[in-house]
Amino acid sequence: MEPIPALKLVAVMALVIGALASCSSTRENASQFPAALTQYVDPYIGTDYHGHVFMGASVPFGAVQLGPNNLTEGWDWCSGYHYSDSTLVGFSHTHLSGTGIGDLGDIAIMPTTGPLKLLKGTHQHPEKGFLSLYSHQDETARPGYYAVRLQRYNIQAELTATARVGFHQYTFPASEQAQVIVDLEEGIGWDQPTETFMTQLNDSTLAGYRYSRGWAADQRIYFAAVFSQPMQRFSSFQVTDSSGTAVAASTEKGIKGVAFFTTKAGEKIKLKVGISPVSPENALANIRAEVPHWDFEQVVAAADTAWNRELQKVRIQTDSPAQRRTFYTALYHTLIVPSVFNDHNGDYRGTDQKVYPKANFTNLTTFSLWDTYRAAHPLFTILQPDRVNDMINSMLAIYQQQGKLPVWHLMGNETNTMVGYSSVPVVADALLKGFDGFDHALAYEAMKATAMGDAFGLPFVKRQGFIPADEEVESVAKGLEYAIADMSIAQVARRRGQQADYEYFSRRGRYYENYFDKQTRFMRGRLSQHAWRSPFDPFKSAHRKDDYAEGNAWQYTWLVPQDVEGLMTLMGGEEAFAQKLDSLFAAAGDMGEEASNDITGLIGQYAHGNEPSHHITYLYAYAGQPWKTAEQVRFIVENMYTDQPDGLIGNEDVGQLSAWYVFSSLGFYPVNPFNGAYVFGSPAVRQATLAMPGGRTLEIEALDNSPENKYIQRITFNGVPYTNAYILHRDLVRGGKLVFEMGSKPSTAWGTAKEDRPRSSVE
């Protein structure tokens, strides 16, 4: 097993210390449980190691993620912030949370004092720029609020946000040279400005835009910035060389505007920045609609209320305050994206760069679908049913604008990142679960059109049933992901009575068989009907060069959640299948120097830090060995998630890593992401109450639960014995009471009979 990263101590703020002290008791009951669940969210979790999570102020699914940017860049700074750092170069309004590529960082604000500096500086020569050091001891972070003291300037920075407005409050020292820099040059990671513009509208208002190219090729963000008091003067500059020489300019690649002030000790300068995908006018209208006042604390309180409203949908009881913090921070991480990508009046910019006025749905962006189709989107169908329709409508609009459903959509751009067309099972899941706030005929059309495209090896799939390894890189990963999505289309076709489509896409859903080598018993790149790629080493992984995507044959051989029974047959039956699973969790081998950084959290060759492995622990239940699922799930829950900054074992991947934890802690997981069934594992909480649609509730209770008592002995649902090792979505959302009886030894009776095991196809 890969070592868990060393746990680090967080410098916890006095407010949080006080909150945690109130829950120091080792046990609690419902009447004692506090209403303010935000106190259990620690935004530092996942900011260390490879977590890549966003640090800063936002509201659930907001367009604005307002937070600090470090000077340092690199893979572990994809969100702009890493716990190991102590440099700060600004507070920008857009960030990614848990990605493997850095982008965004738009509209950065940096308050300073003293002689004006227009460069950000370097680690070796910070004095040449405006960067400041900071300490975690001087930071406060909680949902909807972030604060830090800039050591260099003795400025206290405080941030909060609404959906489309970032609200800044800076407490300055006495200074005749106080400035607020509005930086349109700096971005995060790959992001580079292509055109920027800034103008002064009046003595307290600025407006402009930032066009940039990065992971998303054509990003356009418009803004308006309103100060709480008149600027003494304003100037905008384009830096012309590395020495910091600047010329006055309003339109160039990297404009930096500077608002000048004279401040008294303790004077607060406030700034509201509205953003828009459409225009500066709409950005200003967003400010007027969402923050028509200057009460900073009111916005902080509203953000806290918004987060509490979402967190309250799952109320848990545990024996450990640390577990409570880990759980609610995980739930918080699942609620950051997809992010709003429209204006308060409904206007948005499509992927075709046309403006669509006053849409009748909330348009969203940041769809990391290769990650989130597995568990995050199924979790939304339980906890965010009102938003599911907006998500699907956003995807259907993208289809109409670009001719296919999104792959990995960011800021109105298709990045085509990762393999497969993983929006298809998300749309299918919504259709099959009965969501009706979108056009079902259009959705079916979009799914079929996407699957019948001609990109990324699909002509080979349509012609011969597999992608030749010498024709397409990552051929096995692509083929397996296509088969998952195609089987989801088949299930929708069956529901719609489209028999020919059902038969065609069912056949394609079984094309995973074409990658299975019965001699080696691994999924493997093939060259033709009669030849496999050689040499073959199931341990080796060469990032973006081999037949897999961020993985190896050990990990990808199990990527058949749509037909576990068929995979079991290929492997020689359930006994051979279970033995192979045992081997996965014990296998030791070198993946090679070219393996992806995303392959983390290893137990043998199982890689919990990367998404293709996420369903695998639950496959034992299909072979009648649910106790082995319990053992592996409980080990992961207890060892690969903590309440420390390095508390995520790998890249958060835009909520998916945390969604796995939320599901697994509650006791079940959607192995097949579109068949409406959740496979039981091992609940890690003592009790949970989930808010269900229509005002119903689902109460979950795990009797005699403990680290030792991790095995399910019996289940009752609404007082009736429940022998199935899975539960259906339609039953779950009706609400009721689900009781697990836990024990220290595996049960040889519960969930083992063939009629009680999970099935890939559920009516």
Side-chain angles (χ1 to χ4, degrees), residues 229-295:
Q229 63 190 67
M231 299 172 279
Q232 288 185 335
R233 61 188 176 92
F234 170 79
S235 299
S236 58
F237 304 93
Q238 171 71 37
V239 178
T240 60
D241 58 40
S242 59
S243 69
T245 301
V247 296
S250 61
T251 307
E252 287 289 347
K253 279 191 175 181
I255 294 296
K256 295 182 181 181
V258 184
F260 296 90
F261 301 91
T262 297
T263 56
K264 300 175 182 178
E267 183 172 353
K268 288 179 169 58
I269 295 178
K270 301 178 184 181
L271 174 65
K272 296 184 289 192
V273 179
I275 64 171
S276 163
V278 172
S279 69
E281 293 78 14
N282 276 18
L284 190 58
N286 289 339
I287 295 174
R288 291 169 178 157
E290 295 184 1
V291 194
H293 56 79
W294 287 102
D295 190 336

Side-chain angles (χ1 to χ4, degrees), residues 94 96 102-106 187-188 190-195 209-222 276-277 341 349 353 410-413 415:
T94 59
L96 294 168
D103 203 340
L104 306 185
D106 298 287
I188 297 170
W190 294 11
D191 182 274
Q192 296 292 327
T194 56
E195 181 181 333
Y209 59 79
R210 184 177 190 267
Y211 299 165
S212 62
R213 180 180 182 87
W215 185 7
D218 185 4
Q219 301 173 46
R220 306 182 188 187
I221 188 166
Y222 301 84
S276 163
F341 193 63
R349 186 177 300 275
Q353 295 300 348
L410 177 61
M411 300 293 283
N413 286 243
T415 71

Side-chain angles (χ1 to χ4, degrees), residues 477-746:
K478 289 174 182 174
L480 296 179
E481 293 287 1
Y482 291 154
I484 294 169
D486 290 343
M487 190 65 85
S488 77
I489 301 174
Q491 300 312 307
V492 175
R494 181 173 63 172
R495 180 73 62 86
R496 292 174 60 85
Q498 304 282 342
Q499 185 63 22
D501 284 353
Y502 169 66
E503 293 175 1
Y504 173 72
F505 284 105
S506 291
R507 186 165 61 251
R508 281 180 51 167
R510 292 189 295 272
Y511 280 170
Y512 69 88
E513 297 172 353
N514 296 329
Y515 302 95
F516 187 79
D517 176 10
K518 293 184 179 179
Q519 182 175 353
T520 64
R521 298 174 69 241
F522 284 102
M523 296 293 179
R524 181 177 174 186
R526 70 184 310 154
L527 302 177
S528 68
Q529 294 286 357
H530 308 290
W532 301 96
R533 184 199 287 279
S534 294
F536 172 67
D537 182 342
F539 291 95
K540 285 291 183 284
S541 177
H543 189 40
R544 295 183 179 174
K545 294 181 181 179
D546 64 11
D547 303 323
Y548 312 97
E550 299 178 2
N552 63 17
W554 269 110
Q555 292 140 21
Y556 269 89
T557 293
W558 309 96
L559 191 57
V560 191
Q562 79 279 18
D563 187 16
V564 180
E565 296 83 359
L567 179 61
M568 198 178 295
T569 299
L570 283 180
M571 288 187 175
E574 67 180 46
E575 184 176 349
F577 178 85
Q579 289 175 350
K580 183 83 169 181
L581 265 178
D582 291 342
S583 298
L584 169 73
F585 290 100
D590 184 3
M591 286 186 288
E593 295 180 355
E594 296 183 272
S596 169
N597 290 333
D598 281 290
I599 307 174
T600 59
L602 291 174
I603 308 173
Q605 285 299 295
Y606 171 88
H608 189 70
N610 210 25
E611 279 61 37
S613 289
H614 275 187
H615 67 294
I616 297 176
T617 55
Y618 288 87
L619 296 182
Y620 280 113
Y622 290 76
Q625 298 181 7
W627 63 88
K628 291 184 179 178
T629 287
E631 290 168 353
Q632 297 295 352
V633 166
R634 190 64 78 90
F635 178 84
I636 294 166
V637 165
E638 293 176 351
N639 292 278
M640 295 191 182
Y641 297 83
T642 78
D643 67 341
Q644 302 300 310
D646 61 0
L648 290 176
I649 198 62
N651 194 341
E652 165 64 10
D653 280 312
V654 198
Q656 170 59 26
L657 197 64
S658 288
W660 187 97
Y661 181 86
V662 171
F663 266 125
S664 295
S665 294
L666 296 174
F668 46 88
Y669 186 81
V671 170
N672 181 331
F674 57 82
N675 76 341
Y678 306 95
V679 179
F680 291 124
S682 177
V685 300
R686 285 194 295 107
Q687 194 273 342
T689 302
L690 280 66
M692 292 297 175
R696 297 180 293 271
T697 60
L698 173 70
E699 185 178 350
I700 299 171
E701 188 171 6
L703 301 176
D704 298 320
N705 204 10
S706 70
E708 296 76 25
N709 292 354
K710 57 192 170 189
Y711 302 104
I712 297 173
Q713 306 295 303
R714 285 169 292 279
I715 295 177
T716 60
F717 187 41
N718 292 329
V720 177
Y722 191 91
T723 59
N724 288 345
Y726 64 93
I727 190 167
L728 299 181
H729 179 84
R730 62 173 178 258
D731 296 326
L732 205 67
V733 297
R734 289 192 188 112
K737 187 167 185 177
L738 183 66
V739 178
F740 299 93
E741 295 181 33
M742 309 300 293
S744 61
K745 295 180 180 179

